[in-house]
Amino acid sequence: RMSRHAKKLRDHDINPCLAETDATTKCMNDNNYNKDLCTDYFLKYKNCRKFWHEIMMQRKRSGVKPEMPSAEERRNILESMG
């Protein structure tokens, strides 16, 4: 059974980088935990976290709630950026 914290991390509305997390984990599993072979995945994850953190901080400063956009809202934001 998953802990409440683990469930939150698996929730698309809470974790904007779920796909990147899963891809990184799969790469690590597939490559016997050799980090050097998964550098691109780590970079994509780091960039994802940085991007959504900046969005979250902008929303917080502007008083927008919730601070993290929902999965649907994030999809619209990304589509509008091309």
Side-chain angles (χ1 to χ4, degrees), residues 47-71:
N47 289 338
C48 178
R49 296 295 304 174
K50 184 178 176 196
F51 176 80
W52 289 113
H53 180 74
E54 286 171 13
I55 298 267
M56 204 169 80
M57 295 314 291
Q58 277 178 343
R59 287 168 65 105
K60 189 175 190 171
R61 281 191 293 274
S62 303
V64 178
K65 297 279 183 190
E67 288 159 6
M68 177 55 72
S70 68

Side-chain angles (χ1 to χ4, degrees), residues 9-10 12 15 17-29 41 45:
L9 292 178
R10 300 298 311 161
H12 284 279
N15 183 355
C17 301
L18 195 54
E20 291 78 2
T21 302
D22 291 346
T24 303
T25 302
K26 183 181 182 330
C27 181
M28 290 293 281
N29 288 337
Y41 292 96
Y45 172 78

